[in-house]
């Protein structure tokens, strides 16, 4: 017959399959308390190709489902091929001193910066064209007060990105011009005022610049209403009637009580 088991001073050699309720390895000197599998060999599950393969030369563990590697664990991180389904994702830099679980609570995605005074400067970058150049990003911003964090949205090209929108921690909203440096549309949340061309609106609507009111519907005038107790209306007269494309000043919301008209030549009618 064929030898199936050989017991030696260095260990036991078995030819064939071992069936056991469990396996205990106590190799203090020889194995350093580890189960050792030869380089580039696998821990296989059943008769399928589901396995874990270790490669000591390239320093990684490969996790296979069927014949494809779905996940690779290396000394620098974890690479996953395919879709990750998770109850949440939390990303923390290695030198973060504050406990992420305490600081972030039950958020779906947590991005923490390296400092201990707040969680700022982290971002989510969006890439295009298979390159490493960021085309757009969502960034956390330091709003000054301890723990006060805002969010800014940036877009751009392969060389740079510019701020387009910022949401401050106090509810203020800023829309930026094309260079991303100056806010041209600003909502002051605490004062409940909107500024166009100014970040310090003094009225409910504060415009720094020119205003244009136009109505492109045929024979319809553009109107501006001022209501305080009673309504007063400024209306450009779009017909060639009495004031010949001039301006009407009207009292009342009905728009029929014309108090003064100025024609296109500047004459008061």
């Amino acid at each position: 017959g064929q030898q199936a088991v050989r017991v030696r001073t260095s260990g036991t050699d078995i030819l064939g399959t071992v069936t056991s309720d469990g396996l205990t390895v106590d190799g203090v000197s020889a194995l350093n308390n580890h189960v050792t599998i030869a380089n580039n060999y696998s821990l296989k599950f059943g008769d399928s190709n589901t396995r874990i393969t270790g490669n000591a030369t390239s320093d990684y563990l490969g996790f296979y489902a069927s014949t494809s590697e779905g996940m690779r664990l290396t000394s620098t991180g974890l690479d996953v091929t395919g879709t990750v389904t998770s109850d949440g994702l939390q990303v923390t830099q290695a030198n973060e001193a504050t406990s992420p679980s305490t600081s972030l609570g039950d958020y779906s995605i947590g991005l923490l910066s390296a400092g201990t005074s707040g969680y700022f400067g982290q971002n989510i970058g969006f890439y295009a064209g298979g390159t490493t150049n960021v085309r757009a990003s969502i960034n956390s911003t330091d709003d000054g007060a301890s723990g006060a964090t805002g969010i800014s949205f940036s877009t751009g090209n392969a060389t740079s990105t510019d701020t387009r929108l910022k949401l401050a921690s106090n509810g203020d909203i800023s829309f930026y011009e094309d260079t991303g440096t100056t806010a041209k549309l600003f909502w002051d949340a605490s004062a409940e005022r909107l500024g166009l061309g100014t970040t310090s609106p003094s009225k409910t609507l504060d415009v720094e610049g020119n205003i244009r009111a136009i109505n492109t519907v045929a024979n319809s005038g553009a109107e501006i209403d001022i209501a305080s107790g009673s309504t007063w209306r400024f209306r450009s007269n779009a017909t060639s009637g009495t004031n010949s494309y001039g301006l009407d000043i009207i009292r009342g919301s009905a728009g029929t009580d014309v108090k003064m008209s100025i024609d296109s030549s500047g004459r008061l009618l």
Side-chain angles (χ1 to χ4, degrees):
Q2 187 176 15
Q3 185 185 57
V5 179
R6 176 178 290 183
V7 180
R8 299 182 295 179
T9 57
S10 60
T12 302
D13 298 332
I14 300 175
L15 179 65
T17 302
V18 176
T19 302
S20 173
D21 292 335
L23 175 63
T24 301
V25 179
D26 185 12
V28 175
S29 59
L31 297 178
N32 297 320
N33 293 321
H34 299 294
V35 175
T36 300
I37 301 175
N39 184 40
N40 220 25
Y41 278 74
S42 302
L43 178 61
K44 194 173 181 180
F45 301 89
D47 295 330
S48 68
N49 285 312
T50 301
R51 66 191 189 277
I52 302 173
T53 299
N55 190 308
T57 304
S58 300
D59 192 23
Y60 73 82
L61 279 176
F63 295 79
Y64 289 77
S66 186
T67 58
S68 302
E69 184 182 74
M71 183 171 66
R72 176 172 292 192
L73 177 63
T74 69
S75 59
T76 58
L78 185 67
D79 297 328
V80 178
T81 302
T83 301
V84 176
T85 302
S86 173
D87 293 335
L89 174 64
Q90 190 163 255
V91 181
T92 308
Q93 290 188 2
N95 57 348
E96 175 56 51
T98 305
S99 169
S101 59
T102 302
S103 302
L104 291 180
D106 297 325
Y107 292 97
S108 298
I109 299 178
L111 300 177
L112 275 68
S113 66
T116 58
S117 61
Y119 307 103
F120 315 116
Q122 297 302 288
N123 61 73
I124 299 174
F126 299 89
Y127 300 80
T131 70
T132 58
N133 300 114
V134 177
R135 300 301 202 272
S137 64
I138 302 174
N139 313 279
S140 61
T141 59
D142 185 351
D143 279 1
S146 177
T149 308
I151 294 291
S152 67
F153 297 81
S154 300
T155 61
N157 51 43
T159 58
S160 65
T161 58
D162 297 311
T163 302
R164 304 304 180 196
L165 167 66
K166 180 180 178 182
L167 307 178
S169 60
N170 63 356
D172 290 352
I173 304 174
S174 301
F175 290 87
Y176 288 77
E177 36 69 81
D178 59 340
T179 66
T181 56
T182 305
K184 290 298 185 181
L185 175 61
F186 178 77
W187 168 251
D188 187 327
S190 61
E192 298 182 356
R193 295 168 179 168
L194 181 64
L196 299 178
T198 176
T199 56
S200 302
S202 59
K203 302 296 181 182
T204 301
L205 176 61
D206 194 335
V207 180
E208 184 173 322
N210 299 323
I211 298 176
R212 182 188 186 194
I214 185 172
N215 192 336
T216 58
V217 178
N219 296 324
S220 297
E223 299 177 345
I224 298 176
D225 283 6
I226 301 174
S228 178
S230 61
T231 299
W232 286 87
R233 177 174 300 172
F234 293 87
R235 179 179 64 195
S236 63
N237 195 316
T239 63
S240 56
T242 304
N243 63 2
S244 184
Y245 298 100
L247 175 68
D248 293 335
I249 298 178
I250 305 166
R251 187 177 187 278
S253 57
T256 56
D257 187 8
V258 178
K259 297 298 185 183
M260 184 170 64
S261 294
I262 303 173
D263 66 15
S264 57
S265 300
R267 292 174 296 184
L268 182 63
L269 305 177

